[in-house]
Amino acid sequence: MLACDASVALPPLHSRTDARGKRSVELIERQDQIALLEDLALRCTTGQGQVALLCGAPATGRTTLLKSFARSQMERGALVLSASCAPSEDSLFLGVVSQLLYAAPLPDPHGAAIDRLLEQAAGGGTAGAERQRLYHDLCLRLRAIATGRPLLITVDDVGHADPQSLDFLQQLVRRGSADRIMVTVTDNGERPDVTAPLLAELQRQQHMRHILVSPLSPGGAYELVARRFGPEAAGPLATELYAASGGNPLLLSALIDDRAAQQDTNHYELAVLGLLQDRDPVVLEVARGIAVLGDEGAALDVARLLDIDPQAVDCARRKLTSAGLLRDRGFRQASARAAVVERIPDEVRAALHRRAAELLFESGGAPATVAFHLLSAGTPPPAWGLPCLLEAAEHELRAQDLVRGSEYLELALTGPAEPDAAASIRARLTHTEWMVNPLRAGRHLPALTDTLRAGDLTLREGLNLIRHLLWHGRTQEGGQLLDIVRAGAGESPATADELRDVEQWLAFTQPPLARRNYLPVARADDGRTVTPLADPWLRTAAVMAGQLSRGQTEAAVVRAKETLRDLHLGRHTCWVDEAALMAFRTLLVADRHRTALEWCERLLGREAGGRTLAWRALMFFVRSEVAMARGDLPGAAQYAQEALTELNVRAWGVAAGLPLGNLILANARLGRFEEAGALLAQPVPDTMFQTSYGVHYLYARGQLHLATRHYHAALADFLSCGDLVRGWGLDPAGLVQWRTGAAEAWLGLGNKDQMRQQVGNQLTWQGSGSARGRALALRLTASAGPVGRRPQLLLESLELLEKCGDRFEQARTLAKLSGAYHRLDENRRARMVFRRALHLAQGCQAEPLTRELLSVSSELGEALAASGDAVKLAVLTGSERRVAALAAMGYTNREIATKLYITASTVEQHLTRVYRKLEITHRKELPSDLNWRHDAAS
């Protein structure tokens, strides 16, 4: 028995009251053992000396049973002398004998005589015949004491007793066979070489009994669990905990304690360590070996791993299995294995992992398993381990475990590889770490740059390096390396093909670096064959970039959907995330916001937990852009902030213009001008303004200047956007609505001629997002045109914006429409439209626009009270809601009929029913929170 077993509380016991009203203790499933011990004790009182050996696996309750039996015999009047052995005391001279004889007061004159004998023995001189004389005298004294009252001697864990005490026990057993002396010892069989003489002597005794203490059965486990959790909850839980503990009471009790605890506890792990503490060194070593091997413990020869005799290993396995730690040659619980591994000294653990990796490699083990042990060893791998590490890294990357994959690649980088192989490993590691966090990958870029210049990095890997350099704003270095690749691309068809794709991608994202003569000739389908070695994701990104640049929006949208659909099928190359970013940007500039959001949610659901910071940051940006396009300004700000929380501005690199621009624009429209101004102070790479991401940032900055009435600054930003996109040939892509922004700035400066010129250009421009741009241009045209034409222009603008779903821009257009009706003295319509505009502005939380609306004349403001009434719109049918919504916006019956493809008579009938259901009498009383397009979609 282990020393820790003696200190275990008594969860396997429970109390009951007998017929005499006394508390007695009953052990679970130990009634047979108790009955046998009590029978032996009864025989002992008749002058028949008895000997009992309690044996069994560690922590099965031998000590608990022994103590319980000793207490019961003490209550019956027996003199109980007990000793508990420990490994630290196995060399203490007569240590166990001293414990026994000082365990309880002994009656005089025998007690005094025994004291003198022990004092003489402690003084030395007890060797050979003198020591046998000492044992003889002690036995005589104990036999004399037993004539007065029965004597019970218990020794727990006798395998750790000192040799002298074992000699004494042998003599006492031989001489006390006819006395009222019962000797009861426990032994776990861990030290047969030490206990063999004593056990042989016990076997020769006529009244000797072996008593096996076995683990609990499933029924015993249920009883123990039921006492803590109740009978109803005990069934499934008892089955689970029994399987985890093998019925070992110590382990089972620890698992119950962990399950009952209100917080994370480690009772089970401590119990496991206690079981292994002070065990036979071979058992402990085998447990460590099995723990290190893990699932491979059954397949790999543990004896070879530990260089131990196979029979000794098998014996140790049996002991660990009987103790409830092992099942099917492995640990029952992963937490037990982890606890054992954690307590192995670092040097020993590293050596075991190195040896395990070597043996598994020699036996043809899985590369991932070999790599795991090499990684766990924490030392540079041998040459034969590099292929295993690289293959394991690829396996982990396919499984989306990028952290473990990067660990394998990092370890492979420390191995004995040739310069070109080491450069390839570092390139793969760089991209893997980029997917985890782009900032982390930056540490490898200088070394990779040197290897490309030295010719140790392939040109195709050089293209991947260039992409990373450009992401971090290192445009000069990227351009220099790009020239190196261009110079050598002619020697490899695959490199030349990928270089053409990179040039096309650069023409959209980093136009100043692109060489136009490398761009492929545009074809109708823009689909040329990809060489087998070419990266398909780079090809995809390049195709979408080219289609957007040429204004082929619909074709780009189709390709974007295909890309997002196939993302989960692709290998994780440097360009897969770039292809995803390009696909989402395509959908966004094409005003396919609902599609973008659907794919965003679908991808997040499909790959929950599998993607990285960069991926989640991209998804947050997409959500922010969609929220902005719908007029959900708080949502746009929140998602943009989360995108910058997942990846800070430095990690976003030159692409920071996307989320940062969205956050600036959202704050400007929300009226948070100080927060938006603080964002402008955020340092961004200077090279960002030479990218299409920088155009997004400039446009947002221009909108902030517009909102704060800094019209000259706004105009400069919008015109800069125009100069950049036109100079780069990206104007057809419609990245931002710079013309309408410039027109609004000119209008703010009072220059209507320049405003009309920009608006005219916008109205004749054809490109991505032209519907939104046309709507904004129509609103500006109305603002500077004749009052009589304004409603017509604004209603057309409103219809386009309703199709886009942009509630913020709808509110701005409705505000202008309300003012136009008021100028035309159509105050009834003006009030209805005003109410709608105010409702939308408040729903978007657009504070500046709301304040502007609230500052209108009191005549329009009278409508506010009506808009606040609580109206139960659920009583209206869908058709009635659509008619009522258009009526509330100021449309005539004939206009409503034309818009809904019904007759004017039908409109009148619907309105009559609406008035009756809502208990109103005039159109001006119609609620403002109606949306005819939303109701139509429903």
Side-chain angles (χ1 to χ4, degrees):
M1 193 67 183
L2 296 172
C4 68
D5 198 19
S7 62
V8 176
L10 303 176
L13 305 177
H14 73 275
S15 300
R16 68 179 183 182
T17 304
D18 60 19
R20 295 172 295 176
K22 294 185 178 180
R23 304 288 293 181
S24 63
V25 176
E26 179 185 15
L27 286 82
I28 295 178
E29 294 189 335
R30 299 293 181 254
Q31 292 82 0
D32 293 341
Q33 292 89 339
I34 292 173
L36 180 54
L37 287 171
E38 290 181 348
D39 181 63
L40 296 177
L42 182 61
R43 295 184 184 186
C44 177
T45 60
T46 65
Q48 303 176 52
Q50 300 294 324
V51 179
L53 172 63
L54 302 180
C55 56
T60 51
R62 295 186 314 276
T63 298
T64 303
L65 177 60
L66 185 65
K67 289 183 176 181
S68 175
F69 174 61
R71 283 196 297 266
S72 67
Q73 295 308 305
M74 191 180 301
E75 292 175 356
R76 292 188 172 98
L79 176 60
V80 180
L81 304 179
S82 299
S84 180
C85 306
S88 59
E89 299 175 356
D90 59 5
S91 60
L92 184 62
F93 179 71
L94 290 177
V96 172
V97 170
S98 298
Q99 282 192 64
L100 289 171
L101 300 181
Y102 290 131
L106 300 178
D108 288 329
H110 309 296
I114 288 175
D115 288 343
R116 288 193 298 272
L117 290 171
L118 291 179
E119 289 175 2
Q120 292 173 7
T126 55
E130 293 184 10
R131 185 178 301 168
Q132 294 301 317
R133 180 67 184 176
L134 170 65
Y135 298 159
H136 173 75
D137 291 344
L138 290 175
C139 288
L140 289 177
R141 293 294 179 180
L142 291 176
R143 293 174 64 191
I145 292 173
T147 60
R149 60 192 289 199
L151 179 61
L152 173 62
I153 294 177
T154 68
V155 181
D156 189 27
D157 238 348
V158 72
H160 292 296
D162 59 279
Q164 298 79 23
S165 296
L166 289 173
D167 290 343
F168 167 74
L169 289 174
Q170 291 181 54
Q171 191 168 139
L172 177 62
V173 168
R174 282 197 303 271
R175 300 194 177 182
S177 60
D179 298 304
R180 297 197 300 170
I181 299 176
M182 181 175 178
V183 177
T184 306
V185 299
T186 70
D187 181 44
N188 60 13
E190 289 289 319
R191 306 183 68 187
D193 53 329
V194 174
T195 59
L198 173 62
L199 297 182
E201 186 64 43
L202 297 180
Q203 291 285 5
R204 287 195 291 270
Q205 302 305 309
Q206 179 180 0
H207 302 299
M208 189 272 184
R209 294 289 185 275
H210 275 282
I211 302 178
L212 178 63
V213 183
S214 303
L216 298 177
S217 70
Y222 172 82
E223 185 178 349
L224 188 58
V225 173
R227 292 177 190 171
R228 181 68 69 90
F229 299 103
E232 294 182 358
L237 182 59
T239 302
E240 175 190 346
L241 298 186
Y242 176 80
S245 65
N248 185 298
L250 174 65
L251 299 180
L252 181 58
S253 298
L255 288 168
I256 291 173
D257 289 341
D258 284 335
R259 192 61 63 94
Q262 298 299 318
Q263 55 187 359
D264 291 339
T265 57
N266 60 344
H267 295 105
Y268 175 74
E269 289 79 4
L270 293 175
V272 169
L273 296 174
L275 270 177
L276 295 173
Q277 183 180 348
D278 301 325
R279 293 294 302 269
D280 177 359
V282 174
V283 174
L284 178 58
E285 196 168 354
V286 169
R288 288 175 171 177
I290 295 173
V292 165
L293 289 175
D295 295 337
E296 292 74 44
L300 190 61
D301 190 348
V302 178
R304 289 183 62 197
L305 174 69
L306 302 174
D307 196 18
I308 296 177
D309 179 65
Q311 292 184 348
V313 171
D314 289 340
C315 180
R317 280 186 183 275
R318 288 193 296 272
K319 292 176 180 179
L320 291 169
T321 301
S322 65
L325 290 176
L326 301 186
R327 178 178 56 195
D328 298 331
R329 302 174 69 84
F331 278 87
R332 288 177 177 268
Q333 291 287 91
S335 57
R337 172 179 173 265
V340 173
V341 171
E342 185 179 353
R343 291 300 182 94
I344 302 176
D346 294 341
E347 302 81 4
V348 177
R349 182 169 62 247
L352 287 174
H353 279 297
R354 283 195 299 270
R355 178 62 175 159
E358 182 179 356
L359 292 175
L360 286 166
F361 179 77
E362 292 174 355
S363 62
T369 305
V370 176
F372 169 78
H373 288 291
L374 290 173
L375 180 65
S376 300
T379 56
W384 54 260
L386 292 182
C388 295
L389 287 168
L390 296 179
E391 185 173 343
E394 290 301 319
H395 177 270
E396 297 298 339
L397 296 183
R398 287 193 296 271
Q400 299 292 334
D401 191 347
L402 303 181
V403 174
R404 177 53 60 89
S406 64
E407 289 175 347
Y408 285 148
L409 292 170
E410 184 107 44
L411 182 62
L413 198 58
T414 65
E418 294 297 325
D420 56 344
S424 180
I425 293 171
R426 187 181 294 277
R428 192 70 176 116
L429 175 61
T430 300
H431 173 58
T432 303
E433 291 188 345
W434 187 94
M435 288 192 291
V436 177
N437 189 332
L439 275 183
R440 184 177 176 184
R443 61 193 179 110
H444 300 291
L445 299 183
L448 284 174
T449 300
D450 292 340
T451 57
L452 180 60
R453 286 174 172 157
D456 293 326
L457 192 68
T458 67
L459 295 181
R460 295 182 64 221
E461 289 170 331
L463 290 174
N464 298 340
L465 169 61
I466 290 168
R467 188 245 176 180
H468 291 307
L469 287 170
L470 297 181
W471 178 274
H472 287 290
R474 298 165 71 167
T475 305
Q476 184 175 1
E477 292 175 76
Q480 293 171 354
L481 298 187
L482 193 57
D483 289 337
I484 295 175
V485 176
R486 285 166 176 156
E491 301 176 4
S492 168
T495 303
D497 194 62
E498 289 197 348
L499 178 59
R500 285 191 292 269
D501 289 335
V502 168
E503 297 286 1
Q504 188 157 312
W505 169 76
L506 286 173
F508 182 82
T509 58
Q510 314 242 5
L513 287 178
R515 284 191 183 177
R516 300 292 168 175
N517 56 323
Y518 273 89
L519 298 182
V521 177
R523 299 180 181 178
D525 59 354
D526 198 22
R528 65 177 188 276
T529 303
V530 181
T531 61
L533 296 177
D535 190 323
W537 297 114
L538 171 57
R539 174 95 278 268
T540 296
V543 168
M544 286 185 287
Q547 290 170 334
L548 283 179
S549 300
R550 296 187 294 273
Q552 299 171 347
T553 308
E554 292 305 316
V557 167
V558 172
R559 193 61 177 256
K561 293 178 180 178
E562 293 174 350
T563 301
L564 296 174
R565 181 195 62 200
D566 296 338
L567 273 180
H568 68 289
L569 302 175
R571 53 193 173 97
H572 292 277
T573 70
C574 175
W575 296 95
V576 63
D577 289 316
E578 191 63 48
L581 176 58
M582 184 63 69
F584 277 118
R585 292 187 73 188
T586 298
L587 294 175
L588 294 173
V589 299
D591 272 340
R592 307 298 173 85
H593 300 97
R594 177 178 296 180
T595 303
L597 183 61
E598 288 174 353
W599 275 110
C600 178
E601 301 297 340
R602 192 178 305 176
L603 290 173
L604 283 175
R606 178 192 297 166
E607 306 188 22
R611 284 289 185 171
T612 57
L613 292 178
W615 182 259
R616 293 195 298 273
L618 171 60
M619 295 299 105
F620 281 128
F621 160 69
V622 173
R623 287 173 166 177
S624 173
E625 190 78 7
V626 171
M628 182 71 71
R630 291 179 169 182
D632 178 10
L633 304 182
Q638 176 188 343
Y639 288 131
Q641 184 60 63
E642 289 180 355
L644 291 168
T645 300
E646 291 288 339
L647 286 185
N648 60 29
V649 172
R650 287 186 58 221
W652 270 96
V654 294
L658 299 177
L660 196 57
N662 261 20
L663 189 55
I664 292 171
L665 181 56
N667 281 326
R669 292 178 173 178
L670 286 166
R672 304 170 184 171
F673 299 132
E674 291 187 7
E675 290 90 333
L679 291 170
L680 290 180
Q682 284 258 24
V684 294
D686 292 337
T687 52
M688 182 186 77
F689 297 100
Q690 294 302 310
T691 71
S692 59
Y693 312 115
V695 172
H696 194 86
Y697 179 90
L698 282 174
Y699 178 78
R701 192 172 70 183
Q703 288 291 340
L704 173 61
H705 291 323
L706 267 184
T708 54
R709 302 180 186 276
H710 294 92
Y711 298 118
H712 285 99
L715 181 62
D717 282 336
F718 293 132
L719 293 180
S720 294
C721 290
D723 291 342
L724 290 173
V725 296
R726 285 184 299 180
W728 295 338
L730 295 182
D731 199 25
L735 296 178
V736 293
Q737 301 297 333
W738 65 270
R739 290 183 176 85
T740 54
E744 193 167 353
W746 281 120
L747 184 61
L749 292 171
N751 192 331
K752 293 187 178 181
D753 291 337
Q754 288 290 342
M755 184 273 293
R756 291 190 182 96
Q757 180 179 345
Q758 291 291 353
V759 166
N761 292 338
Q762 179 65 50
L763 291 173
T764 58
W765 173 80
Q766 296 294 325
S768 299
S770 58
R772 182 184 300 271
R774 179 175 178 80
L776 303 182
L778 288 171
R779 186 174 68 215
L780 287 167
T781 301
S783 299
V787 175
R789 288 194 59 215
R790 290 180 186 179
Q792 179 184 353
L793 294 171
L794 291 171
L795 285 171
E796 183 181 350
S797 171
L798 181 62
E799 186 168 356
L800 290 172
L801 291 172
E802 286 175 340
K803 291 179 181 179
C804 296
D806 191 333
R807 292 179 297 158
F808 173 75
E809 294 295 352
Q810 286 179 53
R812 295 186 67 196
T813 298
L814 286 168
K816 296 293 184 183
L817 182 58
S818 174
Y821 282 140
H822 183 58
R823 291 279 302 273
L824 294 171
D825 292 328
E826 297 186 32
N827 291 325
R828 179 175 58 83
R829 284 188 173 186
R831 283 194 294 271
M832 287 188 233
V833 173
F834 172 84
R835 288 160 49 200
R836 180 66 177 160
L838 183 61
H839 174 76
L840 287 175
Q842 290 175 334
C844 296
Q845 297 184 29
E847 292 302 322
L849 180 57
T850 301
R851 288 195 300 268
E852 180 183 339
L853 287 167
L854 292 175
S855 65
V856 297
S857 66
S858 58
E859 183 178 0
L860 291 179
E862 292 173 357
L864 293 179
S867 67
D869 295 338
V871 179
K872 296 182 179 180
L873 301 177
V875 298
L876 302 181
T877 66
S879 299
E880 292 166 352
R881 285 174 63 93
R882 289 190 288 275
V883 170
L886 291 172
M889 292 171 58
Y891 286 92
T892 65
N893 288 2
R894 187 175 299 277
E895 289 170 338
I896 296 173
T898 302
K899 205 170 190 64
L900 297 182
Y901 302 101
I902 57 179
T903 66
S905 175
T906 303
V907 173
E908 292 177 1
Q909 294 171 18
H910 282 318
L911 285 176
T912 300
R913 288 193 291 270
V914 168
Y915 293 163
R916 185 178 68 254
K917 290 180 179 181
L918 299 184
E919 299 179 351
I920 59 177
T921 57
H922 301 288
R923 290 193 178 204
K924 67 180 182 180
E925 299 176 72
L926 286 169
S928 61
D929 47 346
L930 286 165
N931 186 326
W932 78 273
R933 285 198 177 271
H934 175 271
D935 295 324
S938 301

